[in-house]
Amino acid sequence: MRRASSWFVLLAACASPIDAPQPSITVDAVLDPPSSDPDLEGAACERCHVDEARAWRASGHRTSFVDEVFQAEWRPSEQAACVRCHAPLADPDRPEGIAAADGVSCVACHVRDGAVRAGHAVDAPHAIVVDPTLRTSEACAGCHDFTFAAVAPTIYSVDGMLQGTMHEWHEVEARGVCQDCHMRSADGRVSHAFPGARDEDLLARALHVEAGAASVGDHTEVTLTVTSRAGHAVPTGDMFRRLEVEAWIEASPRTRARETWTRRFASIDGVQRQVSDDRVPAAGERTTTLSLPRARRIAWRVTWQALDPALARVRWLPEEDVARTIAEGTLDVPPH
């Protein structure tokens, strides 16, 4: 059996242990009302914090409300609870203007009670309130870990996790904080680019994909093992995100086999409840064996998907917005 491997990243990969409380955050508690002081608005921040603003403007936080996938999911119901995280300074019942277009802005994380907060003391022409929680994962929990109760009424069990990234993170004994991976540039400096699942610059560290092929009787078995260094399940976040693993005969691309790793829900007593979860666990691995007819050479691929590609096509979402190739390759199949 010949093997091929590649290293790729998907979201946080955390290594150093810290003590942190279990999160108990509700979306309603994420933010105070927007500031009416023009000196405490995002535009004022950008005049001095040029590098941070440049990174943020290219980030997923900046586009969290205008993102095409979010808009396709949100428009049918336009739930206010979703706006509180995707555009926290906007009117949740009528999000519009700069407050909506700027998504999760400087003010959303750094201004409370009319004061600018920072994770450590700095020299600045304005007052600073030192808030050590900005250096912890709890700073991220409000929008990345909450139950379905946050969007009630809902067809889902209100005590089930809608997003459970923090709960997944707490399952890892040796871990750092979200900022270790999501606020670091390639040269190790603090960055407000907040790279995530769609950031190709991070596709180098967290997922190890190993592929092998063997002839077994009258068919070919393709084994794919995905090992994760991530500090949470992969994929994490939205309940519809998935990994697709597939293999096909290189000379006959329509002859293929695939599996999808995701969270699955079913109706139990009239309520949608999670019944299975075969994502790659935090700091763990997932292996599958796909069966194909006998072949001399096969191709394989592992893809991150924001949602089912068939549903994406129905909603006119472009492939580049909903999918990322995590790893791919080809293998010669040895004879018996």
Side-chain angles (χ1 to χ4, degrees):
M1 179 183 294
R2 295 186 181 181
R3 294 189 179 273
S5 64
S6 303
W7 280 98
F8 292 82
V9 85
L10 199 61
L11 307 182
C14 301
S16 58
I18 68 167
D19 294 324
Q22 291 286 343
S24 57
I25 307 294
T26 64
V27 175
D28 289 333
V30 174
L31 293 165
D32 295 333
S35 168
S36 59
D37 183 346
D39 289 332
L40 296 178
E41 294 178 356
C45 304
E46 295 190 42
R47 289 198 293 268
C48 294
H49 300 280
V50 176
D51 291 341
E52 291 83 357
R54 183 182 298 114
W56 165 77
R57 285 204 167 272
S59 74
H61 274 184
R62 160 66 175 78
T63 58
S64 59
F65 185 75
V66 297
D67 175 75
E68 289 192 27
V69 177
F70 169 73
Q71 284 289 317
E73 295 295 306
W74 176 71
R75 284 294 178 189
S77 62
E78 296 193 351
Q79 285 195 332
C82 303
V83 179
R84 293 188 182 103
C85 279
H86 284 263
L89 300 185
D91 180 345
D93 296 313
R94 191 176 179 180
E96 58 187 10
I98 294 297
D102 277 356
V104 182
S105 64
C106 312
V107 175
C109 294
H110 287 283
V111 175
R112 292 290 187 282
D113 300 321
V116 178
R117 304 188 310 161
H120 51 81
V122 295
D123 291 329
H126 52 72
I128 292 287
V129 174
V130 177
D131 184 352
T133 63
L134 286 175
R135 305 197 305 268
T136 73
S137 293
E138 301 304 320
C140 311
C143 285
H144 293 278
D145 197 275
F146 51 91
T147 67
F148 282 100
V151 295
T154 175
I155 63 173
Y156 294 90
S157 172
V158 294
D159 58 353
M161 297 305 297
L162 199 164
Q163 293 196 27
T165 303
M166 286 290 291
H167 279 72
E168 297 157 9
W169 174 78
H170 276 285
E171 293 175 2
V172 183
E173 291 185 2
R175 58 180 181 266
V177 294
C178 305
Q179 293 88 334
D180 289 341
C181 295
H182 295 285
M183 291 193 71
R184 295 292 174 188
S185 62
D187 60 5
R189 300 178 63 188
V190 173
S191 169
H192 283 69
F194 301 105
R198 303 182 195 178
D199 191 295
E200 294 183 358
D201 289 340
L202 282 183
L203 298 181
R205 292 195 298 270
L207 287 186
H208 180 197
V209 182
E210 186 172 289
S215 296
V216 179
D218 61 353
H219 63 281
T220 297
E221 289 189 352
V222 182
T223 301
L224 292 168
T225 299
V226 182
T227 305
S228 174
R229 292 176 175 175
H232 48 68
V234 179
T236 192
D238 190 88
M239 57 188 286
F240 299 115
R241 291 179 180 174
R242 17 187 281 161
L243 286 187
E244 184 176 83
V245 293
E246 59 180 337
W248 62 94
I249 297 175
E250 189 176 45
S252 179
R254 293 187 178 182
T255 306
R256 64 178 60 209
R258 60 166 58 94
E259 279 187 9
T260 300
W261 298 343
T262 189
R263 299 165 63 193
R264 292 177 174 81
F265 295 78
S267 179
I268 300 175
D269 298 328
V271 177
Q272 289 287 323
R273 301 181 185 274
Q274 183 172 312
V275 294
S276 67
D277 181 356
D278 54 11
R279 296 173 298 163
V280 183
E285 71 175 32
R286 185 77 65 199
T287 297
T288 190
T289 298
L290 304 175
S291 182
L292 292 166
R294 283 288 297 273
R296 298 178 61 183
R297 188 172 175 83
I298 63 94
W300 59 271
R301 180 167 57 207
V302 179
T303 307
W304 174 90
Q305 298 169 345
L307 71 166
D308 188 320
L311 181 58
R313 288 190 291 271
V314 169
R315 296 183 177 177
W316 298 94
L317 290 168
E319 183 177 357
E320 60 267 23
D321 281 353
V322 301
R324 291 289 185 274
T325 297
I326 303 303
E328 60 185 347
T330 57
L331 292 169
D332 293 321
V333 184
H336 283 291

